[in-house]
Amino acid sequence: MRYKLIGLTGNTGAGKSTVAAALVEKGDAVLLDADAIARQLQQPGSEALKTIAAHFGAQVLARDGSLNRAALGRLVFSDVVQKQALESIMWPRIADVIEQRLQEQTRWMVLDAPLLFESGLDALCYQTWMVVAPESVRRARIMARDGIDATQAQMRIDAQVSQQAKLRMATHILDGTQPREVLCAQALALFQQAKDLWG
C-alpha cells in the first residue's frame, strides 16, 4: 500500500472526534471523515439522495429538496432493517470516495468511521483504534451534543453494534473517559509509534 492509514472508530459519544481532531491538528494527519463524506454524497440532486428518497419516501426530504436528517434519523434509529437499508445505500458510495482519496495521498491519514469494522474498511488500515467509554457517559454526551432526551440518546446507542463486540477487532483501545489532554497525548504517542514503525 502506498498510502498510510489509521482507522479510528468508537461508538457514538465515546470521544472519537476528539482523537481525530488531535491527530489532524497536532499530528499533521490528513482526515478522512466518513460522516462528512456521507453528507457530501447526500447533497440535493445526488444519486445517493435520490436512492434514499426512493426507498424511504418523500418524508425524508425537506421542502427545499435537501435531506431531512432528523426525519431519516427517526426512521433508522428505531428500525434495524431500515438502518441496514440506509447503510447498503451509503457505504459502497462512501468506500468508493475513500479509496479514491487514499490513492491521492502519500501522507499519513486517519479514517474517522463509526462503522469501520461493520463496513469492512478496516481492511484498508495499518492499525485500527477504538475509543471507548461506558454507556452512561456516552448517553450524557449525546444528549448534550445533540440536544436530545435520554430516550432518543439511548435509541442511538442501541442502534449500533455494542462496544464489547468490536473490542477484539481493534489493534489499540483508547479510554475516552480520560481528560481531553491525556486522551490526546496518548493518541499522539500511538500515532508517532506508527510513523516510526512504518515511516
Side-chain angles (χ1 to χ4, degrees):
M1 290 185 292
R2 182 167 65 89
Y3 58 83
K4 301 164 185 176
L5 181 67
I6 297 293
L8 177 64
T9 193
N11 284 27
T12 182
K16 174 177 56 62
S17 296
T18 297
V19 172
L23 295 178
V24 172
E25 293 167 12
K26 298 183 179 180
D28 196 32
V30 174
L31 178 64
L32 297 176
D33 184 332
D35 285 344
I37 291 169
R39 289 192 292 272
Q40 292 167 4
L41 290 168
Q42 294 164 348
Q43 293 298 310
S46 67
E47 288 302 315
L49 185 55
K50 290 176 183 176
T51 305
I52 289 170
H55 177 85
F56 293 98
Q59 61 184 321
V60 300
L61 297 177
R63 289 185 177 181
D64 64 359
S66 63
L67 180 62
N68 184 331
R69 299 185 188 282
L72 182 61
R74 285 192 293 271
L75 287 173
V76 301
F77 289 128
S78 61
D79 186 332
V80 66
V81 174
Q82 296 285 42
K83 179 174 179 288
Q84 290 170 347
L86 178 62
E87 290 169 359
S88 70
I89 292 169
M90 292 307 305
W91 270 104
R93 291 175 167 87
I94 293 169
D96 285 346
V97 173
I98 288 171
E99 291 189 26
Q100 178 183 346
R101 293 185 184 177
L102 288 176
Q103 303 308 321
E104 298 167 353
Q105 283 287 345
T106 56
R107 289 167 55 192
W108 274 92
M109 291 170 284
V110 56
L111 171 58
D112 180 340
L115 301 180
L116 180 69
F117 299 117
E118 296 91 326
S119 66
L121 288 171
D122 58 304
L124 300 174
C125 305
Y126 279 93
Q127 293 180 347
T128 53
W129 302 2
M130 185 169 180
V131 185
V132 300
E135 187 172 292
S136 59
V137 172
R138 290 186 284 122
R139 184 168 52 248
R141 287 176 176 174
I142 296 165
M143 291 168 64
R145 180 191 70 198
D146 298 339
I148 58 178
D149 62 25
T151 300
Q152 292 173 303
Q154 191 63 47
M155 286 175 63
R156 297 188 182 190
I157 290 171
D158 293 342
Q160 293 186 317
V161 176
S162 71
Q163 281 189 157
Q164 197 62 36
K166 292 188 281 189
L167 281 173
R168 60 182 175 79
M169 294 185 275
T171 58
H172 295 81
I173 307 297
L174 291 163
D175 180 0
T177 64
Q178 299 178 103
R180 178 183 292 264
E181 61 273 16
V182 175
L183 176 61
C184 292
Q186 289 186 352
L188 289 166
L190 273 179
F191 191 47
Q192 187 59 52
Q193 288 174 16
K195 291 194 286 186
D196 290 344
L197 183 59
W198 288 306

